Amino acid sequence: MTKANQMWGGHYAAGPEAAFAKINPSIDYDRKLFRQDIAGSVAHCEMLRAQGILTADEAGQITQGLKQIHSEIEAGEFTFKAELEDIHMNIEARLKELLGDVAGKLHTARSRNDQVATDMRLYVRDSLSALDELLQALQTALIDQAEAHADTIMPGFTHLQGAQPVTFGHHLLAYVEMFGRDRARLADARARGNVSPLGSAALAGTSFPIDREATAHALGFTDVTRNSLDAVSDRDFVLEPLAAFSVIAMHLSRLSEELVCWVSPAFGMVKLPEGFTSGSSIMPQKRNPDAAELIRGKTGRITSQFATLLMVMKSLPLAYNKDSQEDKEPYFEAEEQLSLCLQAMTGMIAALTANKNRMRELAAQGYSTATDLADWLVRTLGMPFRDAHHVTGRAVKLAEEKGCMLDALSLEALQSVESRITQDIFDVLSVEASVASRTSYGGTAPDNVRAQVDEARERFL
C-alpha cells in the first residue's frame, strides 16, 4: 500500500492499492471541466460572502486565487496530479498552495457530489449550444443546395427501387426537417438540464444559510433542483443529450449512405468535393467517398455511448455512487465524434455537384410515372383508383413487353388497355409533368420546393 492519502488522511492510515489508484482517478478526462469548475466555485464563493459565511477579504483572496489557477490551466502551466483524483481536488490543492488554510473555506456548504453535477450541467449546456450551431450550418448548406436544385429532377425511391420522380431540392429538404427535429431535441434537453444542483451538498442539503437561487442566477441556470437526493444522483441531463446524439448520428448515417450510393458509377448522380474523398493505393482511377463512409461508421461509436451510460445508471440506488463518474467519457467521446461528423457533412453538402442529366435519366426509368397514369384515369375518366391501378399495371406490362417507357407507347397501344384513354394522357406521362403536378403542401413540385426553401430559412436560420 502507498502512503496515507492526503485527502482522507484524517480517517485513513494508508493510501490506495495500486489497482485502485489506477481505476479511481478521473483527472485524465474531467480536466475538461476546469472552466465550469472554476466558474461554479467563483459563484459559490460570492454567495458565501453575501450570506456572511465568508468575509469579504476571504472571498476576495479565493476569487483571485481561482482566477490565477484558470490562467495557469489555460496557459498549460498547471500540473494535474492523479493522486488528487479529479479536477475539483486538483484545483482545491493548488488553491491551498496559493492561499494557505483560507482555501479550505471554499468547500463550505458543498460537496464534490453537487459540485461535479453542477460542472457537468454547465458543460453539457455549453456543448449543446455549440452542436446546435453546427446543425444550423448543415441545414444552411442543405437549404442552399435545395434552392439551387428546386427544378432538378431525380428518382424518388421506396425500397431503393425507383418509385416516382421528385426534385433534388425536395429530397434535400427532407434532411432539413430531420435536423430541425434534432435541434428541437437538443433545445429541449438543454432546457431540462439547465437547473442548478449546487447547494444540495453530498445528498441531504446543508445546514448553512446558503442562497441557491443566487448561485443559479450567477451561473445562468433558469432554476434550482427541487430534491437534493435527485440532484446529486441524476444523470438524465447527460443521457437525454446522448439519446438525441444517437438520433442525429442516425440521420447523418442515412444521408451518408445516400451519398455513397449516389457517387457510385451505378448511380452517378452527384460528385463530392475532392477534399472529402480519397484515392486507392492500387487503383489510380478511384475516388472513394471516405468521409461519408466514416460518418456512417461513427454512428456506432456515438450510439454506443448512450447505451454505455444507460447501463451504468440502470441499477444505481440513491443517492450518489462512484459509478456516476462514468458519465463523462461517454459524453465527451460522443460530443467530439458528432461535432466532427457534422462539420464533415456540412463541407460535403455545401460543395457537392449534381449530375442533372444522369438524375433525369434515372428518374424516367422503372415506369416512374405509372402513378400519374392511374391518377389521370381517376381524375379524367372517373375510374375508381383500384380499377385505375389494375389498368395501369396492364399498361406497364405492355410497355415492358415492347421494351419502352410509358410515354413511348402509342395512343393505340394505350387504348388497347383502356379504350377511353385520349391524347391528353401524354400531358402527364413525362417526369417533368409528374413533378410539376405534385402541388399538395409538402409535395415535390418545383414551386413548392422554392416556397419550402423560403419557409425553412425563416424557421431554422
Side-chain angles (χ1 to χ4, degrees), residues 4 8 29 136 176 307 312 425 436:
W8 327 126
Y29 50 87
Q136 186 181 53
V176 173
V312 168
I425 191 66

Side-chain angles (χ1 to χ4, degrees), residues 447-458:
D447 287 345
N448 278 26
V449 173
R450 281 183 277 271
Q452 289 294 330
V453 162
D454 292 340
E455 184 180 321
R457 290 192 192 282
E458 185 175 342

Side-chain angles (χ1 to χ4, degrees), residues 29 52 72 75 111 150 160 166-167 214 272 288 292 310 374 392 404 408 417 441 449 453:
Y29 50 87
E72 290 175 358
S111 162
L160 204 57
V166 296
T167 58
L272 293 177
N288 299 319
L310 200 63
T392 301
C404 66
V417 175
Y441 186 77
V449 173
V453 162

Side-chain angles (χ1 to χ4, degrees), residues 2-29:
T2 58
K3 64 182 181 179
N5 190 301
Q6 61 180 297
M7 292 185 290
W8 327 126
H11 183 62
Y12 280 73
E17 295 287 353
F20 183 59
K22 290 182 178 180
I23 198 174
N24 187 43
S26 57
I27 190 59
D28 284 347
Y29 50 87

Side-chain angles (χ1 to χ4, degrees), residues 115-187:
Q115 190 178 357
V116 69
T118 301
D119 291 359
M120 198 61 184
R121 284 179 186 267
L122 289 171
Y123 185 92
V124 169
R125 185 182 72 187
D126 293 343
S127 73
L128 293 182
S129 296
L131 288 168
D132 180 75
E133 291 180 5
L134 292 177
L135 279 165
Q136 186 181 53
L138 177 53
Q139 285 183 301
T140 299
L142 287 163
I143 291 169
D144 288 346
Q145 287 281 21
E147 183 173 34
H149 293 287
D151 295 286
T152 300
I153 295 173
M154 67 171 286
F157 299 96
T158 62
H159 311 278
L160 204 57
Q161 306 294 309
Q164 292 179 267
V166 296
T167 58
F168 190 35
H170 185 61
H171 193 106
L172 294 174
L173 287 176
Y175 285 99
V176 173
E177 294 300 317
M178 293 184 207
F179 295 125
R181 294 192 295 274
D182 290 330
R183 291 180 65 191
R185 274 184 280 270
L186 293 188

